[in-house]
Amino acid sequence: MKKLNLFLFLFFVSTLVAKQNPKNIILLIGDGMGISAVSASVHSIQNDQFKKFKSIGLVNTCSADKLVTDSAAGATAYATGFRTNNGKLGIDPSGKKLENIVEIVKRKNMSAGVVVTCSVTNATPAAFLSHVESRKSEFEIAEQIYKNNNVDLILGAGTDFFLPKNLGGKRKDGKNIADSMKQKGYQVIIDTTFSIKNFTKKTLGLFSPNAFVYADKRNFTLGDMTKSAIDYLSKNKNGFFLMVEGSQIDWGEEHNDRNYFYSEMKDFNSAIKEALDFAEKDKNTLVIVLADHDTGSFGINSKNDDGLVDWTWASNKHTANLIGLFSFGPGAELFTGIQNNFEVGRKLINLFQKKF
Ligand SMILES: [Zn+2]
């Protein structure tokens, strides 16, 4: 009888563990998207997705050496589960290489994708794709993306860093990284716009020399790119990891430009919607929405004729204000409360390694 009780207890525990570990994780990072940015979305953006979340936490975004993080150290904490110094990507303060979540899921024969609206060599995506001393080494980051040859789908901007000067890029070493990736079996799409694609093989898609134009001026959304990415990555029966970044929310805030901010925030909401729509149907996908840090921090004080709230900016720089974390799906409850940024990264990695 005792043995039976023990067996039933272990069976119960194992089902709990199995329930908590999602097959897929979609991590959506709003660069610079502090609590005030989320508040503006909730108050006035028509396609706001944040109200859908029931599981919410707060994150301390400090880096290893500074109270106020930059995007490189901020994204490294999520990508590797370790804090580093500002400016560094995928390495610890002493220079030691840190394995990132893309490398971990690829070892498990899962799929991995990165979708952004800046250059794919910019700080946030680069934390998931490279290991360099300085975020400024964007030509080296492009080369590491080619050499690592592991990520299944990369969509964003950045021909400047993949093409030599004579082909319209900015590489002075004459290397054509896009072509090298083709030779490794990638489909390489270089275009001025993104159109929804049914990807069937590993793909590098670059749709602008550096960052995309403002979201309002694009004829596609981050949601369109996210949908294509999920459709492709979810074909892998072992599961997938996808990082999506609303890269330019931060830039709207750094310019204290309300219209720019709203344009990017609406665009980011379109990506959250695609992730949630998929996760609701799939039931085995964890969706996490957060920021690498707050930027600008504003106090909302009025509503304009356009139906959007207005505010007074506190700053045009990054701040150390806590940011919000919104989670949905299996494992979502692990991300409530106040947590450090590197702990979020560790939890993501532990979920894939089934350590809960
Ligand atoms: Zn940032």
Side-chain angles (χ1 to χ4, degrees), residues 338-349:
I338 297 180
Q339 58 223 293
N340 289 308
N341 51 1
F342 68 92
E343 290 170 328
V344 173
R346 277 186 202 173
K347 287 178 204 172
L348 294 174
I349 289 167

Side-chain angles (χ1 to χ4, degrees), residues 119-153:
S119 170
V120 301
T121 55
N122 203 289
T124 306
F128 293 82
L129 300 169
S130 68
H131 308 271
V132 290
E133 272 290 334
S134 167
R135 59 182 288 176
K136 291 179 186 157
S137 313
E138 290 190 72
F139 297 105
E140 164 66 16
I141 291 164
E143 206 158 352
Q144 284 196 16
I145 291 171
Y146 152 65
K147 283 181 181 158
N148 292 345
N149 184 31
N150 58 1
V151 65
D152 298 272
L153 185 69

Side-chain angles (χ1 to χ4, degrees), residues 31 71 292-293 318:
D31 201 304
S71 298
D292 51 349
H293 51 79
H318 296 186

Side-chain angles (χ1 to χ4, degrees), residues 267-282:
D267 191 48
F268 187 57
N269 270 292
S270 74
I272 303 173
K273 183 176 187 313
E274 291 299 336
L276 285 178
D277 284 355
F278 174 79
E280 274 165 9
K281 266 187 244 145
D282 178 67

Side-chain angles (χ1 to χ4, degrees), residues 290-328:
L290 45 54
D292 51 349
H293 51 79
D294 166 78
T295 302
S297 246
F298 45 77
I300 296 170
N301 45 28
S302 62
K303 198 162 203 169
N304 283 12
D305 294 341
D306 58 9
L308 302 175
V309 291
D310 206 354
W311 52 76
T312 305
W313 295 95
S315 154
N316 59 1
K317 294 189 168 66
H318 296 186
T319 83
N321 290 359
L322 301 189
I323 59 93
L325 185 158
F326 304 82
S327 52
F328 175 87

